[in-house]
Amino acid sequence: MWSFNLRLLLVCAYRHLSYVFLSIGDGKSVINVLGVGSGSGEIDLKIFSKIQARYPGVAINTDIVEPSPEQILSYKERVAKTPGLENINFIWNKKTSIEFELQVKEEKTERKYDFIHMIQMLYYVKDVPATLRFFRSLLAADGKLLIILVSGSSGWSTLWKKYGSRLPLNDLCLYITAGDIADILSSEGAKYQCYELPSDMDITECFIDGDHNGDLLLDFLTETCDFNKNAPPELREEIMQDLRSPGCSSMKNGKVIFNNNLSAIVVDGD
Ligand SMILES: C[S@@+](CC[C@H](N)C(=O)[O-])C[C@H]1O[C@@H](n2cnc3c(N)ncnc32)[C@H](O)[C@@H]1O
């Protein structure tokens, strides 16, 4: 689901979030960055260009924690063909966040990072509170942790809260939103700011009988293969009704516009 609109959203995020990079490297000869679930590195490289613009010529060390070998390969290929990365030292760790946590805990030396990001990846972590606690503990004093997930006020949140237990659950993906993350951070006394990253998705085709794109879109929204064919009729009817209700969507010029907002949460180092 995440490639949908992601680039556009992140461009929007950078406009709001440039301040995050304002002080992370002050007085430092090396800036340490940790990317958790970085995928193919597209977003990471945009982040580096922001840091380089703010701190020209300052060396950057980056650890990337990414379990997928295919994504790591794409990341390496992207780095190889991107100019201007000479002052960045990349270390790829083919690990999940929990494997990385165990590795760091076994090490004797203390690690600290000036900037850590977890973008669209906390859905795949089993123990989110413990993971947040661990990665916060790696933040340098003026460091920042950036988390991006679907917003707690998005249509996704409405769907997941109401239907999460009736939609296909698998071990790999949790229905967690930025609202849940904010609750966890608040309960732990963390200092953080939250920004809404507005995004719309036209889902009108879902309501046209027999429309192929509409069927695919519905599968995507419900994470169910052939939802229209396979879902129990009552569940289908309820979801179709909710998809066009204000909790999920608004009506604009006769179109059903799904609230696809993301939220960015910026956590301060202690
Ligand atoms: C939706 S992608 C996001 C990629 C990138 N952050 C972006 O925004 O473009 C989620 C990434 O998290 C990785 N991932 C999945 N489970 C993970 C885990 N337990 N620890 C770290 N990364 C994980 C996946 O391999 C995938 O590359």
Side-chain angles (χ1 to χ4, degrees):
M1 112 174 47
W2 315 122
S3 56
F4 239 85
N5 282 347
L6 187 61
R7 183 179 303 211
L8 182 70
L9 275 180
L10 288 164
V11 167
C12 171
Y14 292 132
R15 252 184 254 133
H16 289 78
L17 298 173
S18 287
Y19 91 93
V20 173
F21 307 108
L22 275 182
S23 60
I24 57 166
D26 285 1
K28 306 214 160 113
S29 55
V30 178
I31 299 173
N32 291 303
V33 177
L34 172 61
V36 189
S38 285
S40 66
E42 185 179 3
I43 311 296
D44 293 35
L45 295 199
K46 291 192 195 308
I47 288 173
F48 292 129
S49 75
K50 285 278 173 198
I51 298 176
Q52 287 173 318
R54 173 71 183 98
Y55 296 102
V58 177
I60 298 174
N61 278 340
T62 184
D63 268 307
I64 295 117
V65 176
E66 170 53 60
S68 155
E70 293 80 18
Q71 296 286 9
I72 290 182
L73 184 62
S74 306
Y75 197 142
K76 289 181 176 172
E77 285 169 357
R78 191 184 298 281
V79 167
K81 65 179 187 214
T82 306
L85 302 178
E86 298 74 18
N87 68 333
I88 307 180
N89 177 36
F90 291 89
I91 298 173
W92 285 276
N93 301 270
K94 196 187 84 53
K95 288 183 187 306
T96 61
S97 52
I98 186 70
E99 288 166 350
F100 182 73
E101 179 175 339
L102 294 174
Q103 176 198 311
V104 171
K105 286 181 171 165
E106 276 169 16
E107 286 171 1
K108 299 275 178 283
T109 50
E110 192 190 49
R111 286 185 189 233
K112 288 288 171 189
Y113 294 93
D114 304 301
F115 184 65
I116 302 175
H117 58 86
M118 308 174 98
I119 300 176
Q120 296 280 47
M121 66 73 58
L122 279 170
Y123 313 105
Y124 310 103
V125 163
K126 286 215 163 67
D127 187 343
V128 175
T131 301
L132 289 175
R133 225 170 291 133
F134 170 69
F135 284 99
R136 280 180 58 215
S137 79
L138 298 185
L139 277 181
D142 295 327
K144 304 275 185 208
L145 163 63
L146 171 66
I147 297 165
I148 296 184
L149 285 179
V150 296
S151 161
S153 61
S154 64
W156 296 108
S157 178
T158 305
L159 273 187
W160 293 350
K161 295 246 171 323
K162 184 161 176 189
Y163 299 104
S165 60
R166 288 191 275 163
L167 291 174
L169 270 179
N170 60 53
D171 275 355
L172 296 175
C173 187
L174 293 177
Y175 293 129
I176 192 161
T177 71
D180 302 316
I181 301 298
D183 289 344
I184 295 169
L185 291 170
S186 296
S187 73
E188 306 217 338
K191 213 173 136 217
Y192 66 92
Q193 299 85 46
C194 202
Y195 303 90
E196 195 79 348
L197 308 173
S199 167
D200 282 346
M201 188 160 68
D202 183 348
I203 60 165
T204 314
E205 285 169 331
C206 292
F207 300 92
I208 303 171
D209 270 349
D211 187 287
H212 181 59
N213 284 339
D215 285 350
L216 292 177
L217 201 46
L218 206 49
D219 291 358
F220 166 69
L221 288 163
T222 57
E223 302 193 33
T224 308
C225 200
D226 279 335
F227 178 81
N228 259 335
K229 276 197 208 126
N230 296 333
E234 278 167 24
L235 176 67
R236 186 186 172 281
E237 201 176 311
E238 241 187 293
I239 289 188
M240 295 308 283
Q241 217 166 51
D242 275 332
L243 275 176
R244 60 194 317 163
S245 76
C248 287
S249 301
S250 51
M251 296 298 292
K252 282 184 198 149
N253 303 324
K255 296 203 173 294
V256 186
I257 306 295
F258 185 77
N259 179 334
N260 189 38
N261 289 6
L262 297 185
S263 285
I265 297 182
V266 181
V267 189
D268 296 336
D270 289 329

